[in-house]
Every structure is written in C-alpha cells, then in structure tokens.
Amino acid sequence: VKVNDKWEVVYQDTSVYGVVGKAVILECGTALPDMYIWSFTKPGTDAIKAVVYNLGKGTRIQKLAETLGQLTVISNSASVSIEKLPLDAHGLFTCQAFYDIETEPKVYYYYVHLTVRVPVSKPYLLMSDVSPVEGSTMWMRCNLENGTEPIQYMWQHETRTGNISTFAQGNSSVINVTDVSRTHTGWYRCVASNAVNSESSNRLWLDTIFGPDVPQIDVTPYSVTERGYSALERETVSLLCQAQSNPASQYVWFYNNSQVYTGPQYTITKILRMHTGDYTCLAQNTYLNTRSKKTISLTVYYPPDGSPSCSVEPALNHTSLRLLCSWPGGFPPPSLQWTGDLKRAGQVEADTGQQTNQLTNAALLLPSEGLTSNSSLFTCTGSHLALKESPACSMRTYIPLAEPVCFAYVTNNKQYLMLSCSWDGGAPKALVWWEGPGGQGKGGDENSNILILRYGTAHSGEPYTCHAKHPLLTQTKTCRLTLEAPVLLTQRRVVSVYEGSDVQLTCNLRANYLPVSEITWFNNQGVDVQDISKYTLLRTAAWANLTVRDTHEIQDSGEYRCSTSNAVGGTELNVTLIVKRHPMPPNATLIRVMYNSRLRNEVELEWQVENEEYGGWTGFILEHIWVSERPGRRSSGNDSKEEMDKKIGPPVWYRNIIEDPQARIHIVRNLTPTVTYQFRITPVNHRTLGHPSATKTPAEPRYNMLPAVIGAALGGMLFAAFLTVLLLVFIIRNRNNNPREQHSQSRENINFPEDEVVGGSEGGEEIGGLASPGKMNPRPSMALPRASSPLTISPLSATPTTGQASPPGDENEPVSVTITVKATGS
C-alpha cells in the first residue's frame, strides 16, 4: 500500500451487481490491513452505519448485518461474502482499511456500490377480447409481479400449423391491435426479459370472427365448357360449396331458385339430362347473421362411348385404299376429321363434299396413284362438348416388312399335306393365292392361304407358287415350294472307338420345304433302338443322335442305320461303327511268392512289368489255383463232403482284381494251410488281357529245424523210457495170476512193439509231434485237422526216417522228420 507524499487518505470506487437470493463478494483491497471497518449507507440517506470491523482484536459483526443477508468475512482478507442476498442490501458499502499502524499509518477508503437486481417473474397474458370480429380493435397486456427495470417485452404469434413468429416487441407491457383480421387467429404469448433472466407466459388463443366469404363451388368430376360446367349422364356428380367463415358457415343449395338440399356437399347420383340448369349455394354465418352466395350453370352431356374407331381396307380389287372412321352415339353428335397427307394421295370425298363434318361416320377413298410403299399415317380426330380432350385414332398404311413365307406340313394322321403361304403384317392386309402344277391351286385370301393336298398326291420336283398382292405395290410378290424327299447327313460315315467307351452317332436332316416324320435309328442287328436300354437317343425335328454305351468289339461293331420319310418319299443313312480292342499290355513276371508265416494262410507276391517306361496297362489280375493237399495232414480228416468234391473236381482259378497300375506287391489272405497253391499274374489294358505269367508255388519262410529235431528226439526217448518202466511193472504183477497169458502177452509185446506205440500215437492228440501219455487204444483213429508241423510222427511208417517227400510242385517245402520209438520189456 502506497500513500502519497502528503499523507492523504486514498479513495477507490467499485460497482458490484448481485441478484436477490444469490451470493456476492465485496472486496476490501488486495492485502489484509491491520484494522478495517465495513459500513453501509442506504440509498437516499447520508447515515453511515457499521456492519463489521476488526481493530486487531478479532472480527466483530454488527446487528445491522442480519438485515443485509448472511454476511461472513473471508479468511486472510478484509473481503466479505454475502449469501442469500436480500433487496435491502442495495446501497453503498464502505471499507476503511488501516495499514502499518505502529510505523507509518496508511488509510484507504474502498467504496463498493452494490446494486441488487430482481429477476422477472413468470408473466401472464391478458386480452381485451379473445374473440374479436374481423376489422375491430383490441389490446393485449403482459403482467409481471417482480422484475428489475428495465424490462423488455416480446410478443409471439403461433399459427395453427405450428409456425411461430414475433408479432411485436418493446419496453411497453401493452400493445394495441387495430383492424383485426383472420390472420391474427392463433396462439399468443409474451416474453419478459431484464438483465437477470427471461420468462415466457402461457399461450392464449385468439379466435377472430369473420365471414362468410363468397362461396367456392367445386364440381366433381370436373368438366368446364363455354356454357359452364358439364357432366356425363348417369355419372355421380358432386357439388361442394366452401365459404371461409368463423364460426363455420351453414349452407343451403337451390336448383333453379328452388331449395333442394342443406349442407356443404350436394351429390346427384346417376345424373340425367333433365338435371341441366342453375345451381346456387347460399352460405350463412349465424353468429354475425351475414350471408353470401354463388350460382353455377351445369349442363349434362353424354358423349359417344369409347373413342373413334379407324380402319383401312383395300378397294377396287386391291388397287385403292379406303379409310373408315366411326364413332356412333353421343349428344350432341361428335365431330370427325381425317388428317394426314391427303392432298398428295388425291382423296375422293365420300358421302358428302366436306372433309370435317358433325357425323358419326366418315370415309375416304384413296386411289393407288400417289400412294407410297413406305409408312403413311392417317388420323381421325373426334371432338365432343362433354370431353375436354379430343380422342383420336390413327391408321398407318404400309407393306409387310418381310417377304411372303411358304412352308408345308403334314397332319398328325398323315392324311393331308398342307401348303401354307402367309405375308404377315402390313395395312391393309395383302391378298394371297396359290398356283400349282396339274391345276392344283386356291383362290385369294387375305394375309394367308392354305392349299390342302391329299397325302402322296404332291408333284415331286415341281414348284408350287404363292402370289401376294398389296394395294401399295404395283407388282405382285411370289414365293415357291419345291417338294422333295428328305436328305440325311452325318458328321462321320465310319466311326471307330476303343472297346468299353461310349460313342455317339449323328444323323441330321438337311433343310427342305416338306416336314418329315420322326428320325428312327436301327442297330447293327436291324432292330429299332427305341426301347433298348443299351442305347440313348436324343432327337429333335431336325436331328437325332444315337449314343451306344459300353461298346463291345463283337456285339456292337457293324452297320447302324437312321431313316425318315415325308409326303414325297423316304431315305436312310448307314453309319459304320468299328469297336477296337485296346493294345496288348506288356508281360508281367512273378519274382517272389512266399508264405508270410508258418501258419501258411497268407501269401505275399511281388512282380515286375517289362518295359515299364512305355506304359500300356491299367491293372492286373492275380490268380491262384488249388493243386493238391499234402497227405497225412490232420485237416483232411474233417473236410466236409462239399469241400472234398470241390477239391476232387476240375481246378478253378480264383481271381483278385488289382485296379492300381502302380501296384507291385499284393498279399492273398484266407488260404487253407494244408493246400498247395499255384499263383500267376496277368496284366490288363482296359478290357484287353495280356499273357499270364508262369505259375509259381509259394515258398516257406526261412527258419532252423535242428533245435526242434533234437528236442523232439530227447522228449521221445524220455517218454519211451517211462513207458518201458510201466510195462515191466505190469508184467511182474500179472505173472503169477496168468503166467501163460503173461508169457504170451510178453512175447507179443516183445515181438510187436510197434503196434502199441503206433496205436498210442495215432489215438492221442499230437502236440509238437509227440503222443500224449495215457491209455492206449489198439484201434487206429483219424488225426484232427491241423497245420503242418516241422516235427511229426507219421502213422504210415514204423521205421525211423529223416524226411518225407514233399507233394508235387512243392519244391521249397521244409523237411519233415518222423521218429518212431520202440520199447521192449523182459
């Protein structure tokens, strides 16, 4: 704080604005003084009254502060805050601030002029008359209860459609409206604004009374003539009267000054010509007791039905044109008029000497001279008082765009031949007639002509001529038909394919004038292929294609024939089909044929193909045949009769089809272990079989027989020794009871030990080639079927052997060892 050199007090003025009920802050310098005193001076007085002070001993708030709102001193400053500001706080606040009291005192006076403003309250609108009459005067007032001046007023007008516009604005709360009109009808509101806020009143409706205006009459259907409105007879006519009025008008209808209806819309159902006259609508405003009216004239007309009808026809033996236009009916009669290039055509007026007449019929005759073959347009226009538009019809004369067309066809029962000639299009239609050989012909018809001949009576090779004449042409046009027998064509007369593929044979009909019967195919046996499933036939009226499926060299090679006929004659075409066999495939050789295991029920085969790099095969046939069954095998004892008959019967090769041309190894499964087989392989190229390879018998898998032989021999010796001990014990026990029989039996046992041993071995079940201990059966029995074992006791030999011959063809058969043990007793 700085004080001037003369030690005078510093004075500062500020202005602050506050709102009733809100808060405001009054500042007393920027620094906290040592002492300060706030005082208040009410406007219109000079009295200065203390509000709050601080003389160094703390803040002291005076009772006067309670009338000025909720006053508090802001900490660390001399500024005060007043909340809930009342209107009484409006005035001058003075803050006396003292700085540096103990050294050099400095005194500041801060004058704060507080202006307390009051927001405007919600206004309400008053009108002198809410339903004024159009042309009268009225006023509107916007009333407010509170609000600090200055206050601005704005008047808003809202129409029925919702459009809002500013009607008036200013600082006056009252406006005067002179010369009220119907446009003033609508919602009104006033908006009051001051420096604090803005408030809008509720809407108030102003309803202007007026009318009625001059009525407006709408006629439906709408049709206006020079005499007024018109209507079509027997239609429903609606007369709608509308006059602007508030309140709404009341309507009364008069017909020729006689009241006929009360209401805005007068409807006449099925109006008649007797309803022609004057119709008056009277509109009344019962509130104002005012009236207005309007009169219209209604004439009932009935035009002809539809529209004019135009036509053109040949005249004078197709050398001239006649234009016809007709539109009968109507009241009054319609007017008909022909327009177009009539003068150049040199028209001749028909029936009357006028070209435009109030007639329901009009005709014009145009000679061929001056007519052109290009398109010419002639229009007949009709007019009627009852119609706003003039309907018209047009007729264009032209020759047909194309040339005459001739063709022939036969009836379904082949009884008649029809020669048709047509020259379609053109206006008018052309004249067509036939001339043929032998006096066969027919007189002229328009547009088309058909000459009917009995089937088979047509002249082959001689032309039938159709003549066509049009009024726009000086010369006639012709087309000719020369009837011929059908001619068949094919793409290839000789077709060759490989066996097994499908082939298509074609048969086409060359274009000719006379239609033919259906094309028929016959196979190489002369049989119709229609119902044979091997063939597929696709055909139309002009071609027939035969597909031979899954061709065979012998069955399908030969001559195929397609045939057809027409009313003149028949024809046929031969196509030769050659079915070739595929080339012979290269030879294949088996290089390895071996059992997969000792079970002998699966054989693995491997082969090779000569000249593989050239190809020429699509698969293989792997075959095997039963050769023989090894003797002495137990499996032979349990074979069924059917299996035995099958083995005894003629040999059969069993096939395995291998479709993979890249395969070189294959395993044949489910073989009989005791049977000896032979295998061969044959290459296949599609359906062509190659030469079968040399047969081979499968070889046994490689393994060592010595341990099995030694084990079997030791086991046999031990078992024989055990039997010998049992025999000696039996002889000793029975010697005293029957010495003779014992001696005889002992001798028998000594002399023939092989029988007991062999009998015991045949009666017991073989396990590893040795007989099981147990009771011996003197009667031989058939062994159970089993796979061949490398160690077997043969029932057909009683002498020790080291091997047994293999079955024929079994060159790689493993060696079988048979050991016979003889036991003797004393």
Side-chain angles (χ1 to χ4, degrees):
V1 177
K2 293 182 179 181
V3 182
N4 56 25
D5 296 339
K6 297 181 180 180
W7 300 95
E8 292 186 2
V9 176
V10 179
Y11 299 94
Q12 290 185 355
D13 283 293
T14 59
S15 295
V16 177
Y17 296 94
V19 180
V20 172
K22 304 296 182 181
V24 68
I25 295 176
L26 307 180
E27 295 182 351
C28 182
T30 57
L32 177 64
D34 295 333
M35 293 186 301
Y36 60 86
I37 299 173
W38 277 98
S39 59
F40 174 73
T41 302
K42 193 172 184 179
T45 64
D46 294 331
I48 300 176
K49 296 181 179 181
V51 177
V52 60
Y53 65 87
N54 187 346
L55 301 179
K57 299 299 182 177
T59 302
R60 300 291 186 267
I61 298 177
Q62 303 301 304
K63 285 188 177 182
L64 179 60
E66 296 178 358
T67 64
L68 301 179
Q70 296 180 359
L71 188 145
T72 58
V73 179
I74 299 175
S75 61
N76 297 324
S77 70
S79 301
V80 295
S81 172
I82 303 176
E83 295 182 357
K84 296 183 179 180
L85 188 67
L87 186 60
D88 292 339
H90 179 78
L92 175 63
F93 285 83
T94 303
C95 177
Q96 298 172 335
F98 301 92
Y99 300 91
D100 301 332
I101 298 298
E102 296 179 356
T103 57
E104 295 180 359
K106 303 179 183 62
V107 180
Y108 272 71
Y109 272 67
Y110 296 97
Y111 294 107
V112 180
H113 298 274
L114 175 61
T115 301
V116 179
R117 294 173 175 173
V118 179
V120 296
S121 59
K122 184 177 180 64
Y124 57 93
L125 182 63
L126 293 177
M127 292 183 182
S128 61
D129 189 358
V130 294
S131 298
V133 178
E134 189 173 32
S136 62
T137 301
M138 64 161 298
W139 55 262
M140 300 181 190
R141 174 177 295 168
C142 187
N143 291 336
L144 282 177
E145 292 183 358
N146 296 312
T148 301
E149 298 289 346
I151 299 175
Q152 293 293 321
Y153 297 92
M154 181 174 62
W155 306 84
Q156 293 181 339
H157 176 215
E158 182 179 352
T159 63
R160 295 178 186 269
T161 58
N163 294 327
I164 300 176
S165 60
T166 300
F167 180 70
Q169 59 184 356
N171 56 4
S172 175
S173 62
V174 178
I175 61 171
N176 293 317
V177 182
T178 60
D179 193 14
V180 176
S181 67
R182 65 193 67 183
T183 58
H184 291 142
T185 300
W187 294 101
Y188 286 86
R189 64 169 63 88
C190 68
V191 180
S193 305
N194 65 0
V196 178
N197 68 330
S198 177
E199 288 289 341
S200 176
S201 68
N202 294 329
R203 294 188 309 173
L204 188 60
W205 178 258
L206 176 64
D207 193 14
T208 304
I209 305 300
F210 62 90
D213 295 344
V214 176
Q216 175 68 32
I217 300 178
D218 294 329
V219 181
T220 305
Y222 179 78
S223 178
V224 179
T225 65
E226 57 186 9
R227 300 180 181 180
Y229 291 93
S230 64
L232 301 180
E233 190 173 30
R234 304 191 66 81
E235 280 190 344
T236 297
V237 177
S238 176
L239 306 178
L240 178 62
C241 183
Q242 292 178 328
Q244 295 292 331
S245 177
N246 186 25
S249 299
Q250 302 294 324
Y251 300 96
V252 179
W253 282 96
F254 296 88
Y255 169 63
N256 291 338
N257 297 324
S258 297
Q259 182 175 341
V260 292
Y261 185 73
T262 299
Q265 186 170 4
Y266 177 42
T267 301
I268 306 174
T269 304
K270 294 183 180 180
I271 193 169
L272 301 176
R273 62 193 69 179
M274 59 182 293
H275 291 139
T276 299
D278 295 332
Y279 289 84
T280 302
C281 173
L282 177 64
Q284 303 179 83
N285 187 329
T286 57
Y287 183 84
L288 298 177
N289 196 22
T290 55
R291 296 177 178 84
S292 63
K293 67 178 180 178
K294 184 177 182 179
T295 302
I296 63 169
S297 178
L298 178 62
T299 303
V300 179
Y301 293 140
Y302 60 99
D305 295 335
S307 59
S309 175
C310 298
S311 63
V312 60
E313 62 183 23
L316 304 179
N317 197 20
H318 279 73
T319 60
S320 300
L321 293 179
R322 179 179 289 110
L323 304 180
L324 301 176
C325 181
S326 176
W327 196 19
F331 178 82
S335 298
L336 301 176
Q337 181 180 6
W338 276 108
T339 58
D341 196 4
L342 302 178
K343 293 184 179 180
R344 185 170 57 85
Q347 78 280 7
V348 178
E349 298 171 355
D351 296 335
T352 66
Q354 297 180 352
Q355 186 174 331
T356 302
N357 309 283
Q358 286 224 340
L359 300 174
T360 57
N361 292 279
L364 289 179
L365 183 64
L366 303 179
S368 297
E369 294 78 6
L371 297 177
T372 57
S373 60
N374 59 350
S375 177
S376 297
L377 181 64
F378 300 94
T379 302
C380 177
T381 304
S383 60
H384 194 273
L385 295 177
L387 297 178
K388 183 178 180 181
E389 297 181 354
S390 298
C393 61
S394 298
M395 176 57 63
R396 189 179 298 276
T397 60
Y398 58 93
I399 63 173
L401 299 179
E403 296 295 319
V405 177
C406 301
F407 61 94
Y409 61 94
V410 180
T411 57
N412 293 335
N413 53 8
K414 294 185 179 181
Q415 186 176 2
Y416 296 101
L417 172 63
M418 318 288 281
L419 303 184
S420 176
C421 177
S422 62
W423 198 14
D424 294 331
K429 297 179 180 179
L431 182 66
V432 181
W433 68 94
W434 278 102
E435 291 181 359
Q440 295 178 333
K442 186 181 179 183
D445 292 327
E446 285 190 348
N447 208 34
S448 64
N449 194 307
I450 297 178
L451 176 61
I452 302 176
L453 303 176
R454 283 197 170 273
Y455 197 86
T457 61
H459 293 265
S460 177
E462 298 185 26
Y464 288 79
T465 304
C466 172
H467 298 272
K469 177 70 174 67
H470 196 274
L472 299 180
L473 296 178
T474 57
Q475 300 293 330
T476 61
K477 290 183 175 289
T478 60
C479 68
R480 291 178 174 85
L481 282 181
T482 301
L483 305 182
E484 301 174 351
V487 178
L488 294 175
L489 302 176
T490 184
Q491 294 179 355
R492 293 180 296 173
R493 296 295 295 269
V494 179
V495 181
S496 61
V497 295
Y498 281 111
E499 190 177 27
S501 60
D502 296 348
V503 63
Q504 188 179 74
L505 309 180
T506 62
C507 185
N508 302 327
L509 181 66
R510 190 181 70 182
N512 63 346
Y513 295 116
L514 192 60
V516 300
S517 302
E518 189 178 65
I519 300 176
T520 305
W521 272 99
F522 299 90
N523 63 5
N524 56 351
Q525 305 298 326
V527 179
D528 189 350
V529 302
Q530 180 70 33
D531 300 323
I532 301 179
S533 60
K534 182 177 179 63
Y535 306 100
T536 301
L537 187 61
L538 297 177
R539 58 187 170 191
T540 63
W543 53 268
N545 295 338
L546 175 65
T547 300
V548 184
R549 298 183 297 176
D550 194 17
T551 55
H552 190 274
E553 178 187 17
I554 298 176
Q555 297 177 0
D556 297 326
S557 296
E559 295 285 339
Y560 289 75
R561 174 169 52 91
C562 68
S563 66
T564 187
S565 62
N566 63 8
V568 178
T571 185
E572 61 182 23
L573 177 69
N574 292 332
V575 180
T576 302
L577 176 61
I578 301 175
V579 182
K580 300 178 181 180
R581 294 176 60 87
H582 288 273
M584 285 285 292
N587 294 333
T589 306
L590 292 173
I591 58 177
R592 182 168 62 88
V593 182
M594 180 177 292
Y595 285 109
N596 271 352
S597 64
R598 294 174 60 187
L599 297 178
R600 293 170 58 89
N601 58 359
E602 294 183 358
V603 172
E604 183 177 354
L605 302 98
E606 183 179 0
W607 63 89
Q608 65 183 8
V609 181
E610 297 180 0
N611 301 324
E612 289 197 22
E613 63 275 9
Y614 298 108
W617 71 94
T618 60
F620 303 94
I621 299 177
L622 186 61
E623 300 174 293
H624 65 276
I625 191 173
W626 182 86
V627 178
S628 63
E629 186 173 6
R630 304 174 67 180
R633 301 299 182 183
R634 297 180 59 209
S635 59
S636 61
N638 293 333
D639 286 346
S640 63
K641 185 176 184 303
E642 292 77 5
E643 293 178 350
M644 292 298 297
D645 294 342
K646 183 177 179 182
K647 296 177 181 179
I648 296 174
V652 177
W653 285 98
Y654 298 96
R655 290 187 172 188
N656 290 324
I657 306 300
I658 302 175
E659 297 181 354
D660 184 8
Q662 304 300 326
R664 295 296 182 271
I665 296 177
H666 187 75
I667 297 176
V668 180
R669 309 179 189 276
N670 300 324
L671 299 176
T672 304
T674 59
V675 175
T676 301
Y677 297 93
Q678 287 186 345
F679 292 83
R680 69 182 182 185
I681 190 168
T682 304
V684 178
N685 186 14
H686 295 281
R687 292 191 178 184
T688 302
L689 300 179
H691 298 291
S693 67
T695 60
K696 281 194 175 184
T697 302
E700 297 288 346
R702 297 183 178 91
Y703 55 90
N704 192 358
M705 292 291 295
L706 183 60
V709 173
I710 296 175
L714 293 177
M717 293 176 63
L718 293 176
F719 183 67
F722 179 72
L723 292 179
T724 302
V725 173
L726 293 178
L727 182 61
L728 292 176
V729 172
F730 178 77
I731 293 173
I732 293 173
R733 289 182 177 179
N734 292 282
R735 178 179 298 176
N736 296 331
N737 298 331
N738 192 359
R740 185 180 183 88
E741 183 179 357
Q742 175 184 356
H743 178 72
S744 176
Q745 184 67 33
S746 298
R747 182 186 303 172
E748 183 177 357
N749 291 337
I750 293 174
N751 291 333
F752 305 100
E754 301 86 358
D755 296 338
E756 293 179 0
V757 175
V758 172
S761 63
E762 290 179 354
E765 181 180 358
E766 292 184 358
I767 302 176
L770 299 180
S772 302
K775 184 178 179 180
M776 298 187 179
N777 187 358
R779 293 178 298 177
S781 62
M782 185 175 294
L784 297 174
R786 64 175 181 85
S788 298
S789 173
L791 183 59
T792 307
I793 298 177
S794 175
L796 301 179
S797 175
T799 60
T801 61
T802 60
Q804 184 176 356
S806 301
D810 194 1
E811 298 177 356
N812 298 325
E813 180 76 16
V815 177
S816 300
V817 178
T818 304
I819 299 176
T820 304
V821 180
K822 297 181 179 181
T824 58
S826 57

